[in-house]
Amino acid sequence: MSKVMPYFYFIFGLVILFDGIVQFLENKELYKLLFSWNTTDKYFYLSIKIIFSLFFFFIGYKRFRVKS
């Protein structure tokens, strides 16, 4: 299981990034960040999504390096 875990982190980071881009391209009045946190600024929303996805990419990379 530990050999597959880094790939789960990479996939989860890609899902977060893809969802952020799709939501960014839609014009909405309210963007839901996490749980009950909301924002009306779509650039702030995209930046938070990028930070979350980079966090998961970094964790996956660290686990991948430890594995090999």
Side-chain angles (χ1 to χ4, degrees), residues 46-65:
L46 184 62
S47 64
I48 295 297
K49 288 289 190 169
I50 289 172
I51 290 170
F52 281 148
S53 65
L54 287 176
F55 173 74
F56 282 105
F57 287 147
F58 181 70
I59 296 293
Y61 178 73
K62 282 180 65 175
R63 293 236 176 162
F64 186 74
R65 293 281 309 233

Side-chain angles (χ1 to χ4, degrees), residues 20-57:
I21 292 172
V22 168
Q23 296 292 324
F24 176 78
L25 294 176
E26 296 177 3
N27 289 329
K28 295 182 173 183
E29 291 184 17
L30 192 65
Y31 295 94
K32 185 173 182 179
L33 288 172
L34 185 68
F35 303 120
S36 64
W37 296 343
N38 298 319
T39 184
T40 57
D41 186 15
K42 69 183 199 175
Y43 294 103
F44 179 72
Y45 173 79
L46 184 62
S47 64
I48 295 297
K49 288 289 190 169
I50 289 172
I51 290 170
F52 281 148
S53 65
L54 287 176
F55 173 74
F56 282 105
F57 287 147

Side-chain angles (χ1 to χ4, degrees), residues 10-24:
F10 287 134
I11 291 171
F12 192 65
L14 282 174
V15 167
I16 290 173
L17 186 62
F18 181 72
D19 179 54
I21 292 172
V22 168
Q23 296 292 324
F24 176 78

